[in-house]
Amino acid sequence: MSRNAKINALLLLAVAALAVLPLVLGLGDHKKEPFTGADAEAETAITEIEPDYEPWFSPLYEPPSGEIESALFALQAALGAGVLAYYFGLRRGRRQGEERASAAAPRDTPGGD
């Protein structure tokens, strides 16, 4: 197994552990909704500290359900990942093209007329 394959396997194992460990350890079992987002956690903390708090502004669009909100968030994440993948792929392709062009270019040899 090559060094890169070992590193990739370890990274994959770490990501899987990060996804599974909170479920196995029961983190969040004491909460009504254990895996809510940071926005909901912040809203809960603010209303506990200051019950009369009024937000400064309201969202431009409020999805009708949590499922639609999750779908829009997943779409946003997918678009961001696609943009990053395109950028890194383009960068790698340009680098490989430059390497091929420099390898294919005729080289000057001393005294080789």
Side-chain angles (χ1 to χ4, degrees):
M1 185 180 255
S2 72
R3 183 173 187 263
N4 285 339
K6 288 179 185 178
I7 291 172
N8 287 341
L10 285 174
L11 288 173
L12 186 60
L13 183 64
V15 168
L18 285 173
V20 172
L21 279 176
L23 298 172
V24 171
L25 297 176
L27 300 177
D29 284 347
H30 63 284
K31 297 180 180 178
K32 184 175 147 187
E33 294 182 30
F35 298 107
T36 58
D39 292 344
E41 292 286 330
E43 184 179 348
T44 303
I46 289 169
T47 53
E48 285 177 3
I49 294 169
E50 183 65 44
D52 299 328
Y53 175 76
E54 289 290 325
W56 294 352
F57 56 89
S58 61
L60 297 175
Y61 172 71
E62 186 72 34
S65 69
E67 291 83 10
I68 293 175
E69 185 176 358
S70 294
L72 290 173
F73 182 76
L75 177 64
Q76 177 185 358
L79 287 172
V83 168
L84 283 175
Y86 175 77
Y87 169 75
F88 286 118
L90 184 67
R91 201 170 129 197
R92 182 176 181 182
R94 285 183 179 169
R95 187 176 59 237
Q96 287 177 344
E98 289 171 358
E99 289 171 0
R100 287 182 185 155
S102 66
R107 297 193 175 133
D108 290 333
T109 56
D113 270 351

